[in-house]
PDB file of all heavy atoms in Angstrom:
ATOM      1  N   TYR A   8     -63.310  15.267  -4.488  1.00 98.00           N
ATOM      2  CA  TYR A   8     -62.037  14.856  -5.069  1.00 98.00           C
ATOM      3  C   TYR A   8     -62.162  13.770  -6.102  1.00 98.00           C
ATOM      4  O   TYR A   8     -61.235  13.181  -6.588  1.00 98.00           O
ATOM      5  CB  TYR A   8     -61.073  14.352  -3.955  1.00 98.00           C
ATOM      6  CG  TYR A   8     -60.833  15.369  -2.877  1.00 98.00           C
ATOM      7  CD1 TYR A   8     -61.239  15.152  -1.566  1.00 98.00           C
ATOM      8  CD2 TYR A   8     -60.262  16.612  -3.176  1.00 98.00           C
ATOM      9  CE1 TYR A   8     -61.064  16.069  -0.583  1.00 98.00           C
ATOM     10  CE2 TYR A   8     -59.968  17.557  -2.177  1.00 98.00           C
ATOM     11  CZ  TYR A   8     -60.424  17.284  -0.877  1.00 98.00           C
ATOM     12  OH  TYR A   8     -60.232  18.204   0.104  1.00 98.00           O
ATOM     13  N   GLY A   9     -63.407  13.470  -6.469  1.00 93.00           N
ATOM     14  CA  GLY A   9     -63.670  12.468  -7.566  1.00 93.00           C
ATOM     15  C   GLY A   9     -63.852  13.082  -8.885  1.00 93.00           C
ATOM     16  O   GLY A   9     -63.579  14.295  -9.028  1.00 93.00           O
ATOM     17  N   PRO A  10     -64.269  12.306  -9.906  1.00 97.00           N
ATOM     18  CA  PRO A  10     -64.561  10.921  -9.800  1.00 97.00           C
ATOM     19  C   PRO A  10     -63.371   9.956  -9.933  1.00 97.00           C
ATOM     20  O   PRO A  10     -63.445   8.823  -9.616  1.00 97.00           O
ATOM     21  CB  PRO A  10     -65.527  10.683 -10.927  1.00 97.00           C
ATOM     22  CG  PRO A  10     -65.131  11.655 -11.981  1.00 97.00           C
ATOM     23  CD  PRO A  10     -64.690  12.837 -11.209  1.00 97.00           C
ATOM     24  N   TRP A  11     -62.225  10.525 -10.421  1.00 98.00           N
ATOM     25  CA  TRP A  11     -60.994   9.709 -10.610  1.00 98.00           C
ATOM     26  C   TRP A  11     -59.851  10.217  -9.772  1.00 98.00           C
ATOM     27  O   TRP A  11     -59.715  11.429  -9.634  1.00 98.00           O
ATOM     28  CB  TRP A  11     -60.605   9.754 -12.087  1.00 98.00           C
ATOM     29  CG  TRP A  11     -61.527   8.912 -13.003  1.00 98.00           C
ATOM     30  CD1 TRP A  11     -62.660   9.322 -13.591  1.00 98.00           C
ATOM     31  CD2 TRP A  11     -61.323   7.563 -13.354  1.00 98.00           C
ATOM     32  NE1 TRP A  11     -63.237   8.299 -14.273  1.00 98.00           N
ATOM     33  CE2 TRP A  11     -62.420   7.212 -14.186  1.00 98.00           C
ATOM     34  CE3 TRP A  11     -60.312   6.616 -13.104  1.00 98.00           C
ATOM     35  CZ2 TRP A  11     -62.567   5.964 -14.793  1.00 98.00           C
ATOM     36  CZ3 TRP A  11     -60.483   5.345 -13.715  1.00 98.00           C
ATOM     37  CH2 TRP A  11     -61.537   4.976 -14.525  1.00 98.00           C
ATOM     38  N   ALA A  12     -59.041   9.311  -9.250  1.00 98.00           N
ATOM     39  CA  ALA A  12     -57.828   9.643  -8.516  1.00 98.00           C
ATOM     40  C   ALA A  12     -56.636   8.953  -9.151  1.00 98.00           C
ATOM     41  O   ALA A  12     -56.718   7.812  -9.533  1.00 98.00           O
ATOM     42  CB  ALA A  12     -57.954   9.258  -7.081  1.00 98.00           C
ATOM     43  N   ILE A  13     -55.548   9.693  -9.297  1.00 98.00           N
ATOM     44  CA  ILE A  13     -54.277   9.099  -9.737  1.00 98.00           C
ATOM     45  C   ILE A  13     -53.421   8.830  -8.515  1.00 98.00           C
ATOM     46  O   ILE A  13     -53.258   9.707  -7.646  1.00 98.00           O
ATOM     47  CB  ILE A  13     -53.514  10.073 -10.664  1.00 98.00           C
ATOM     48  CG1 ILE A  13     -54.325  10.363 -11.976  1.00 98.00           C
ATOM     49  CG2 ILE A  13     -52.117   9.524 -11.038  1.00 98.00           C
ATOM     50  CD1 ILE A  13     -53.619  11.376 -12.858  1.00 98.00           C
ATOM     51  N   VAL A  14     -52.871   7.630  -8.453  1.00 98.00           N
ATOM     52  CA  VAL A  14     -51.934   7.271  -7.388  1.00 98.00           C
ATOM     53  C   VAL A  14     -50.670   6.800  -8.047  1.00 98.00           C
ATOM     54  O   VAL A  14     -50.687   5.756  -8.743  1.00 98.00           O
ATOM     55  CB  VAL A  14     -52.497   6.175  -6.487  1.00 98.00           C
ATOM     56  CG1 VAL A  14     -51.489   5.901  -5.358  1.00 98.00           C
ATOM     57  CG2 VAL A  14     -53.799   6.641  -5.884  1.00 98.00           C
ATOM     58  N   THR A  15     -49.566   7.493  -7.849  1.00 98.00           N
ATOM     59  CA  THR A  15     -48.222   7.021  -8.415  1.00 98.00           C
ATOM     60  C   THR A  15     -47.606   6.180  -7.420  1.00 98.00           C
ATOM     61  O   THR A  15     -47.805   6.198  -6.227  1.00 98.00           O
ATOM     62  CB  THR A  15     -47.359   8.181  -8.788  1.00 98.00           C
ATOM     63  OG1 THR A  15     -46.983   8.908  -7.618  1.00 98.00           O
ATOM     64  CG2 THR A  15     -48.038   9.161  -9.791  1.00 98.00           C
ATOM     65  N   GLY A  16     -46.708   5.270  -7.931  1.00 96.00           N
ATOM     66  CA  GLY A  16     -46.064   4.293  -7.018  1.00 96.00           C
ATOM     67  C   GLY A  16     -47.057   3.372  -6.341  1.00 96.00           C
ATOM     68  O   GLY A  16     -46.908   3.078  -5.132  1.00 96.00           O
ATOM     69  N   ALA A  17     -48.077   3.001  -7.072  1.00 96.00           N
ATOM     70  CA  ALA A  17     -49.202   2.263  -6.524  1.00 96.00           C
ATOM     71  C   ALA A  17     -49.039   0.770  -6.385  1.00 96.00           C
ATOM     72  O   ALA A  17     -49.946   0.037  -5.995  1.00 96.00           O
ATOM     73  CB  ALA A  17     -50.520   2.553  -7.271  1.00 96.00           C
ATOM     74  N   SER A  18     -47.883   0.248  -6.819  1.00 94.00           N
ATOM     75  CA  SER A  18     -47.690  -1.216  -6.872  1.00 94.00           C
ATOM     76  C   SER A  18     -47.346  -1.795  -5.491  1.00 94.00           C
ATOM     77  O   SER A  18     -47.400  -3.009  -5.314  1.00 94.00           O
ATOM     78  CB  SER A  18     -46.546  -1.544  -7.860  1.00 94.00           C
ATOM     79  OG  SER A  18     -45.323  -0.933  -7.452  1.00 94.00           O
ATOM     80  N   ALA A  19     -47.097  -0.998  -4.503  1.00 93.00           N
ATOM     81  CA  ALA A  19     -46.734  -1.532  -3.187  1.00 93.00           C
ATOM     82  C   ALA A  19     -46.783  -0.437  -2.108  1.00 93.00           C
ATOM     83  O   ALA A  19     -46.967   0.737  -2.460  1.00 93.00           O
ATOM     84  CB  ALA A  19     -45.337  -2.110  -3.159  1.00 93.00           C
ATOM     85  N   GLY A  20     -46.734  -0.845  -0.880  1.00 94.00           N
ATOM     86  CA  GLY A  20     -46.538   0.127   0.202  1.00 94.00           C
ATOM     87  C   GLY A  20     -47.639   1.121   0.371  1.00 94.00           C
ATOM     88  O   GLY A  20     -48.844   0.855   0.302  1.00 94.00           O
ATOM     89  N   ILE A  21     -47.262   2.381   0.657  1.00 96.00           N
ATOM     90  CA  ILE A  21     -48.208   3.489   0.865  1.00 96.00           C
ATOM     91  C   ILE A  21     -49.073   3.693  -0.346  1.00 96.00           C
ATOM     92  O   ILE A  21     -50.236   3.992  -0.240  1.00 96.00           O
ATOM     93  CB  ILE A  21     -47.437   4.732   1.259  1.00 96.00           C
ATOM     94  CG1 ILE A  21     -46.797   4.556   2.674  1.00 96.00           C
ATOM     95  CG2 ILE A  21     -48.375   5.936   1.291  1.00 96.00           C
ATOM     96  CD1 ILE A  21     -45.944   5.729   3.063  1.00 96.00           C
ATOM     97  N   GLY A  22     -48.520   3.573  -1.565  1.00 96.00           N
ATOM     98  CA  GLY A  22     -49.301   3.804  -2.764  1.00 96.00           C
ATOM     99  C   GLY A  22     -50.416   2.771  -2.912  1.00 96.00           C
ATOM    100  O   GLY A  22     -51.545   3.089  -3.205  1.00 96.00           O
ATOM    101  N   ALA A  23     -50.117   1.477  -2.702  1.00 96.00           N
ATOM    102  CA  ALA A  23     -51.164   0.416  -2.739  1.00 96.00           C
ATOM    103  C   ALA A  23     -52.174   0.649  -1.693  1.00 96.00           C
ATOM    104  O   ALA A  23     -53.377   0.408  -1.936  1.00 96.00           O
ATOM    105  CB  ALA A  23     -50.473  -0.918  -2.616  1.00 96.00           C
ATOM    106  N   GLU A  24     -51.791   1.140  -0.489  1.00 97.00           N
ATOM    107  CA  GLU A  24     -52.756   1.377   0.569  1.00 97.00           C
ATOM    108  C   GLU A  24     -53.621   2.525   0.248  1.00 97.00           C
ATOM    109  O   GLU A  24     -54.879   2.515   0.540  1.00 97.00           O
ATOM    110  CB  GLU A  24     -52.048   1.586   1.910  1.00 97.00           C
ATOM    111  CG  GLU A  24     -52.966   1.788   3.099  1.00 97.00           C
ATOM    112  CD  GLU A  24     -53.830   0.559   3.366  1.00 97.00           C
ATOM    113  OE1 GLU A  24     -53.402  -0.568   3.064  1.00 97.00           O
ATOM    114  OE2 GLU A  24     -54.962   0.773   3.871  1.00 97.00           O
ATOM    115  N   PHE A  25     -53.095   3.582  -0.429  1.00 98.00           N
ATOM    116  CA  PHE A  25     -53.942   4.667  -0.863  1.00 98.00           C
ATOM    117  C   PHE A  25     -55.005   4.145  -1.870  1.00 98.00           C
ATOM    118  O   PHE A  25     -56.162   4.503  -1.775  1.00 98.00           O
ATOM    119  CB  PHE A  25     -53.049   5.750  -1.611  1.00 98.00           C
ATOM    120  CG  PHE A  25     -52.762   6.936  -0.760  1.00 98.00           C
ATOM    121  CD1 PHE A  25     -51.455   7.176  -0.366  1.00 98.00           C
ATOM    122  CD2 PHE A  25     -53.739   7.863  -0.388  1.00 98.00           C
ATOM    123  CE1 PHE A  25     -51.136   8.254   0.435  1.00 98.00           C
ATOM    124  CE2 PHE A  25     -53.376   9.000   0.368  1.00 98.00           C
ATOM    125  CZ  PHE A  25     -52.146   9.186   0.767  1.00 98.00           C
ATOM    126  N   ALA A  26     -54.583   3.288  -2.763  1.00 98.00           N
ATOM    127  CA  ALA A  26     -55.513   2.654  -3.725  1.00 98.00           C
ATOM    128  C   ALA A  26     -56.611   1.970  -3.001  1.00 98.00           C
ATOM    129  O   ALA A  26     -57.820   2.115  -3.354  1.00 98.00           O
ATOM    130  CB  ALA A  26     -54.783   1.751  -4.676  1.00 98.00           C
ATOM    131  N   ARG A  27     -56.323   1.148  -2.013  1.00 97.00           N
ATOM    132  CA  ARG A  27     -57.317   0.383  -1.291  1.00 97.00           C
ATOM    133  C   ARG A  27     -58.352   1.320  -0.518  1.00 97.00           C
ATOM    134  O   ARG A  27     -59.529   1.094  -0.595  1.00 97.00           O
ATOM    135  CB  ARG A  27     -56.643  -0.565  -0.276  1.00 97.00           C
ATOM    136  CG  ARG A  27     -56.021  -1.781  -0.987  1.00 97.00           C
ATOM    137  CD  ARG A  27     -55.518  -2.808   0.004  1.00 97.00           C
ATOM    138  NE  ARG A  27     -54.311  -2.335   0.664  1.00 97.00           N
ATOM    139  CZ  ARG A  27     -53.080  -2.694   0.229  1.00 97.00           C
ATOM    140  NH1 ARG A  27     -52.876  -3.456  -0.836  1.00 97.00           N
ATOM    141  NH2 ARG A  27     -51.999  -2.241   0.879  1.00 97.00           N
ATOM    142  N   GLN A  28     -57.790   2.347   0.156  1.00 98.00           N
ATOM    143  CA  GLN A  28     -58.676   3.189   0.911  1.00 98.00           C
ATOM    144  C   GLN A  28     -59.486   4.110   0.044  1.00 98.00           C
ATOM    145  O   GLN A  28     -60.672   4.366   0.330  1.00 98.00           O
ATOM    146  CB  GLN A  28     -57.835   3.945   1.991  1.00 98.00           C
ATOM    147  CG  GLN A  28     -57.233   3.047   2.987  1.00 98.00           C
ATOM    148  CD  GLN A  28     -56.701   3.797   4.248  1.00 98.00           C
ATOM    149  OE1 GLN A  28     -57.223   4.956   4.549  1.00 98.00           O
ATOM    150  NE2 GLN A  28     -55.692   3.253   4.895  1.00 98.00           N
ATOM    151  N   LEU A  29     -58.965   4.626  -1.031  1.00 98.00           N
ATOM    152  CA  LEU A  29     -59.690   5.482  -1.940  1.00 98.00           C
ATOM    153  C   LEU A  29     -60.794   4.655  -2.631  1.00 98.00           C
ATOM    154  O   LEU A  29     -61.871   5.174  -2.952  1.00 98.00           O
ATOM    155  CB  LEU A  29     -58.757   6.130  -2.950  1.00 98.00           C
ATOM    156  CG  LEU A  29     -57.809   7.206  -2.325  1.00 98.00           C
ATOM    157  CD1 LEU A  29     -56.814   7.661  -3.435  1.00 98.00           C
ATOM    158  CD2 LEU A  29     -58.556   8.369  -1.758  1.00 98.00           C
ATOM    159  N   ALA A  30     -60.464   3.426  -2.913  1.00 98.00           N
ATOM    160  CA  ALA A  30     -61.441   2.508  -3.548  1.00 98.00           C
ATOM    161  C   ALA A  30     -62.673   2.304  -2.600  1.00 98.00           C
ATOM    162  O   ALA A  30     -63.827   2.330  -3.088  1.00 98.00           O
ATOM    163  CB  ALA A  30     -60.853   1.160  -3.886  1.00 98.00           C
ATOM    164  N   ARG A  31     -62.374   2.160  -1.340  1.00 97.00           N
ATOM    165  CA  ARG A  31     -63.509   1.962  -0.387  1.00 97.00           C
ATOM    166  C   ARG A  31     -64.378   3.204  -0.307  1.00 97.00           C
ATOM    167  O   ARG A  31     -65.583   3.135  -0.019  1.00 97.00           O
ATOM    168  CB  ARG A  31     -62.954   1.605   0.972  1.00 97.00           C
ATOM    169  CG  ARG A  31     -62.406   0.173   1.041  1.00 97.00           C
ATOM    170  CD  ARG A  31     -62.249  -0.292   2.503  1.00 97.00           C
ATOM    171  NE  ARG A  31     -61.172   0.380   3.162  1.00 97.00           N
ATOM    172  CZ  ARG A  31     -59.931  -0.016   3.290  1.00 97.00           C
ATOM    173  NH1 ARG A  31     -59.573  -1.105   2.620  1.00 97.00           N
ATOM    174  NH2 ARG A  31     -59.005   0.708   3.947  1.00 97.00           N
ATOM    175  N   ILE A  32     -63.789   4.357  -0.559  1.00 97.00           N
ATOM    176  CA  ILE A  32     -64.519   5.619  -0.535  1.00 97.00           C
ATOM    177  C   ILE A  32     -65.370   5.693  -1.793  1.00 97.00           C
ATOM    178  O   ILE A  32     -66.414   6.378  -1.809  1.00 97.00           O
ATOM    179  CB  ILE A  32     -63.568   6.840  -0.418  1.00 97.00           C
ATOM    180  CG1 ILE A  32     -62.894   6.854   0.936  1.00 97.00           C
ATOM    181  CG2 ILE A  32     -64.328   8.184  -0.663  1.00 97.00           C
ATOM    182  CD1 ILE A  32     -61.808   7.866   1.075  1.00 97.00           C
ATOM    183  N   GLY A  33     -64.980   5.053  -2.847  1.00 97.00           N
ATOM    184  CA  GLY A  33     -65.778   5.052  -4.092  1.00 97.00           C
ATOM    185  C   GLY A  33     -65.131   5.733  -5.266  1.00 97.00           C
ATOM    186  O   GLY A  33     -65.800   5.962  -6.278  1.00 97.00           O
ATOM    187  N   LEU A  34     -63.869   6.187  -5.125  1.00 98.00           N
ATOM    188  CA  LEU A  34     -63.192   6.851  -6.245  1.00 98.00           C
ATOM    189  C   LEU A  34     -62.716   5.843  -7.260  1.00 98.00           C
ATOM    190  O   LEU A  34     -62.189   4.805  -6.870  1.00 98.00           O
ATOM    191  CB  LEU A  34     -62.027   7.718  -5.728  1.00 98.00           C
ATOM    192  CG  LEU A  34     -62.317   9.175  -5.393  1.00 98.00           C
ATOM    193  CD1 LEU A  34     -63.208   9.254  -4.106  1.00 98.00           C
ATOM    194  CD2 LEU A  34     -61.033   9.926  -5.096  1.00 98.00           C
ATOM    195  N   ASN A  35     -62.863   6.183  -8.533  1.00 98.00           N
ATOM    196  CA  ASN A  35     -62.237   5.346  -9.567  1.00 98.00           C
ATOM    197  C   ASN A  35     -60.755   5.688  -9.550  1.00 98.00           C
ATOM    198  O   ASN A  35     -60.320   6.834  -9.172  1.00 98.00           O
ATOM    199  CB  ASN A  35     -62.827   5.730 -10.928  1.00 98.00           C
ATOM    200  CG  ASN A  35     -64.356   5.461 -11.026  1.00 98.00           C
ATOM    201  OD1 ASN A  35     -64.773   4.332 -10.655  1.00 98.00           O
ATOM    202  ND2 ASN A  35     -65.062   6.415 -11.432  1.00 98.00           N
TER     203      ASN A  35
END
Side-chain angles (χ1 to χ4, degrees):
Y8 304 117
W11 287 85
I13 296 177
V14 181
T15 66
S18 59
I21 292 175
E24 185 61 30
F25 261 110
R27 286 188 284 267
Q28 293 195 28
L29 292 174
R31 288 198 290 269
I32 293 172
L34 269 67
N35 300 310

